[in-house]
PDB file of all heavy atoms in Angstrom:
ATOM      1  N   PRO A  33      10.763  -4.963  12.020  1.00 82.00           N
ATOM      2  CA  PRO A  33      11.067  -5.860  13.133  1.00 82.00           C
ATOM      3  C   PRO A  33       9.835  -6.722  13.440  1.00 82.00           C
ATOM      4  O   PRO A  33       8.729  -6.208  13.588  1.00 82.00           O
ATOM      5  CB  PRO A  33      11.384  -4.924  14.292  1.00 82.00           C
ATOM      6  CG  PRO A  33      11.625  -3.579  13.672  1.00 82.00           C
ATOM      7  CD  PRO A  33      10.897  -3.568  12.371  1.00 82.00           C
ATOM      8  N   ALA A  34      10.030  -8.013  13.520  1.00 85.00           N
ATOM      9  CA  ALA A  34       8.905  -8.938  13.701  1.00 85.00           C
ATOM     10  C   ALA A  34       8.169  -8.685  15.011  1.00 85.00           C
ATOM     11  O   ALA A  34       6.933  -8.723  15.053  1.00 85.00           O
ATOM     12  CB  ALA A  34       9.401 -10.376  13.638  1.00 85.00           C
ATOM     13  N   ALA A  35       8.885  -8.411  16.068  1.00 86.00           N
ATOM     14  CA  ALA A  35       8.246  -8.203  17.367  1.00 86.00           C
ATOM     15  C   ALA A  35       7.356  -6.964  17.348  1.00 86.00           C
ATOM     16  O   ALA A  35       6.232  -6.988  17.867  1.00 86.00           O
ATOM     17  CB  ALA A  35       9.305  -8.076  18.452  1.00 86.00           C
ATOM     18  N   ALA A  36       7.827  -5.891  16.739  1.00 85.00           N
ATOM     19  CA  ALA A  36       7.032  -4.663  16.679  1.00 85.00           C
ATOM     20  C   ALA A  36       5.792  -4.856  15.817  1.00 85.00           C
ATOM     21  O   ALA A  36       4.709  -4.376  16.161  1.00 85.00           O
ATOM     22  CB  ALA A  36       7.880  -3.518  16.143  1.00 85.00           C
ATOM     23  N   ALA A  37       5.927  -5.562  14.710  1.00 86.00           N
ATOM     24  CA  ALA A  37       4.776  -5.815  13.839  1.00 86.00           C
ATOM     25  C   ALA A  37       3.753  -6.702  14.548  1.00 86.00           C
ATOM     26  O   ALA A  37       2.543  -6.468  14.444  1.00 86.00           O
ATOM     27  CB  ALA A  37       5.241  -6.472  12.545  1.00 86.00           C
ATOM     28  N   GLU A  38       4.231  -7.687  15.273  1.00 90.00           N
ATOM     29  CA  GLU A  38       3.307  -8.585  15.987  1.00 90.00           C
ATOM     30  C   GLU A  38       2.588  -7.827  17.106  1.00 90.00           C
ATOM     31  O   GLU A  38       1.385  -8.006  17.311  1.00 90.00           O
ATOM     32  CB  GLU A  38       4.079  -9.762  16.565  1.00 90.00           C
ATOM     33  CG  GLU A  38       3.172 -10.817  17.175  1.00 90.00           C
ATOM     34  CD  GLU A  38       3.934 -12.059  17.594  1.00 90.00           C
ATOM     35  OE1 GLU A  38       5.074 -12.257  17.157  1.00 90.00           O
ATOM     36  OE2 GLU A  38       3.348 -12.827  18.376  1.00 90.00           O
ATOM     37  N   LYS A  39       3.314  -6.964  17.808  1.00 91.00           N
ATOM     38  CA  LYS A  39       2.699  -6.175  18.881  1.00 91.00           C
ATOM     39  C   LYS A  39       1.622  -5.247  18.315  1.00 91.00           C
ATOM     40  O   LYS A  39       0.535  -5.122  18.881  1.00 91.00           O
ATOM     41  CB  LYS A  39       3.773  -5.370  19.600  1.00 91.00           C
ATOM     42  CG  LYS A  39       3.267  -4.583  20.774  1.00 91.00           C
ATOM     43  CD  LYS A  39       4.409  -3.849  21.459  1.00 91.00           C
ATOM     44  CE  LYS A  39       3.896  -2.989  22.597  1.00 91.00           C
ATOM     45  NZ  LYS A  39       4.974  -2.224  23.224  1.00 91.00           N
ATOM     46  N   ALA A  40       1.910  -4.597  17.200  1.00 90.00           N
ATOM     47  CA  ALA A  40       0.931  -3.704  16.569  1.00 90.00           C
ATOM     48  C   ALA A  40      -0.291  -4.490  16.096  1.00 90.00           C
ATOM     49  O   ALA A  40      -1.431  -4.034  16.261  1.00 90.00           O
ATOM     50  CB  ALA A  40       1.576  -2.972  15.406  1.00 90.00           C
ATOM     51  N   ALA A  41      -0.067  -5.673  15.529  1.00 91.00           N
ATOM     52  CA  ALA A  41      -1.186  -6.499  15.070  1.00 91.00           C
ATOM     53  C   ALA A  41      -2.050  -6.939  16.246  1.00 91.00           C
ATOM     54  O   ALA A  41      -3.287  -6.926  16.158  1.00 91.00           O
ATOM     55  CB  ALA A  41      -0.659  -7.709  14.311  1.00 91.00           C
ATOM     56  N   ASP A  42      -1.429  -7.318  17.344  1.00 93.00           N
ATOM     57  CA  ASP A  42      -2.189  -7.728  18.534  1.00 93.00           C
ATOM     58  C   ASP A  42      -3.031  -6.574  19.064  1.00 93.00           C
ATOM     59  O   ASP A  42      -4.179  -6.768  19.462  1.00 93.00           O
ATOM     60  CB  ASP A  42      -1.248  -8.232  19.625  1.00 93.00           C
ATOM     61  CG  ASP A  42      -0.639  -9.583  19.302  1.00 93.00           C
ATOM     62  OD1 ASP A  42      -1.198 -10.305  18.431  1.00 93.00           O
ATOM     63  OD2 ASP A  42       0.393  -9.922  19.919  1.00 93.00           O
ATOM     64  N   LYS A  43      -2.476  -5.366  19.059  1.00 92.00           N
ATOM     65  CA  LYS A  43      -3.232  -4.204  19.547  1.00 92.00           C
ATOM     66  C   LYS A  43      -4.434  -3.926  18.650  1.00 92.00           C
ATOM     67  O   LYS A  43      -5.528  -3.649  19.138  1.00 92.00           O
ATOM     68  CB  LYS A  43      -2.323  -2.975  19.606  1.00 92.00           C
ATOM     69  CG  LYS A  43      -3.020  -1.756  20.181  1.00 92.00           C
ATOM     70  CD  LYS A  43      -2.092  -0.573  20.236  1.00 92.00           C
ATOM     71  CE  LYS A  43      -2.716   0.660  20.820  1.00 92.00           C
ATOM     72  NZ  LYS A  43      -4.105   0.878  20.597  1.00 92.00           N
ATOM     73  N   ILE A  44      -4.241  -4.015  17.346  1.00 92.00           N
ATOM     74  CA  ILE A  44      -5.346  -3.783  16.411  1.00 92.00           C
ATOM     75  C   ILE A  44      -6.436  -4.828  16.613  1.00 92.00           C
ATOM     76  O   ILE A  44      -7.629  -4.511  16.666  1.00 92.00           O
ATOM     77  CB  ILE A  44      -4.835  -3.787  14.958  1.00 92.00           C
ATOM     78  CG1 ILE A  44      -3.960  -2.555  14.725  1.00 92.00           C
ATOM     79  CG2 ILE A  44      -5.991  -3.831  13.964  1.00 92.00           C
ATOM     80  CD1 ILE A  44      -3.202  -2.573  13.423  1.00 92.00           C
ATOM     81  N   ILE A  45      -6.047  -6.079  16.762  1.00 91.00           N
ATOM     82  CA  ILE A  45      -7.021  -7.156  16.972  1.00 91.00           C
ATOM     83  C   ILE A  45      -7.778  -6.941  18.272  1.00 91.00           C
ATOM     84  O   ILE A  45      -9.006  -7.083  18.324  1.00 91.00           O
ATOM     85  CB  ILE A  45      -6.326  -8.530  16.943  1.00 91.00           C
ATOM     86  CG1 ILE A  45      -5.839  -8.821  15.526  1.00 91.00           C
ATOM     87  CG2 ILE A  45      -7.255  -9.631  17.441  1.00 91.00           C
ATOM     88  CD1 ILE A  45      -4.935 -10.015  15.408  1.00 91.00           C
ATOM     89  N   ASP A  46      -7.066  -6.578  19.344  1.00 90.00           N
ATOM     90  CA  ASP A  46      -7.733  -6.315  20.621  1.00 90.00           C
ATOM     91  C   ASP A  46      -8.726  -5.169  20.497  1.00 90.00           C
ATOM     92  O   ASP A  46      -9.843  -5.238  21.021  1.00 90.00           O
ATOM     93  CB  ASP A  46      -6.706  -5.998  21.704  1.00 90.00           C
ATOM     94  CG  ASP A  46      -5.891  -7.216  22.111  1.00 90.00           C
ATOM     95  OD1 ASP A  46      -6.327  -8.362  21.820  1.00 90.00           O
ATOM     96  OD2 ASP A  46      -4.822  -7.026  22.726  1.00 90.00           O
ATOM     97  N   ASP A  47      -8.339  -4.093  19.791  1.00 89.00           N
ATOM     98  CA  ASP A  47      -9.239  -2.950  19.598  1.00 89.00           C
ATOM     99  C   ASP A  47     -10.492  -3.354  18.832  1.00 89.00           C
ATOM    100  O   ASP A  47     -11.599  -2.946  19.172  1.00 89.00           O
ATOM    101  CB  ASP A  47      -8.531  -1.813  18.866  1.00 89.00           C
ATOM    102  CG  ASP A  47      -7.468  -1.125  19.719  1.00 89.00           C
ATOM    103  OD1 ASP A  47      -7.440  -1.366  20.948  1.00 89.00           O
ATOM    104  OD2 ASP A  47      -6.666  -0.366  19.148  1.00 89.00           O
ATOM    105  N   VAL A  48     -10.323  -4.168  17.800  1.00 88.00           N
ATOM    106  CA  VAL A  48     -11.470  -4.603  17.003  1.00 88.00           C
ATOM    107  C   VAL A  48     -12.405  -5.457  17.839  1.00 88.00           C
ATOM    108  O   VAL A  48     -13.621  -5.287  17.806  1.00 88.00           O
ATOM    109  CB  VAL A  48     -11.000  -5.351  15.737  1.00 88.00           C
ATOM    110  CG1 VAL A  48     -12.164  -6.040  15.048  1.00 88.00           C
ATOM    111  CG2 VAL A  48     -10.308  -4.393  14.793  1.00 88.00           C
TER     112      VAL A  48
END
Side-chain angles (χ1 to χ4, degrees):
E38 187 173 343
K39 183 178 177 183
D42 288 341
K43 183 179 181 327
I44 291 170
I45 291 170
D46 290 342
D47 290 347
V48 169

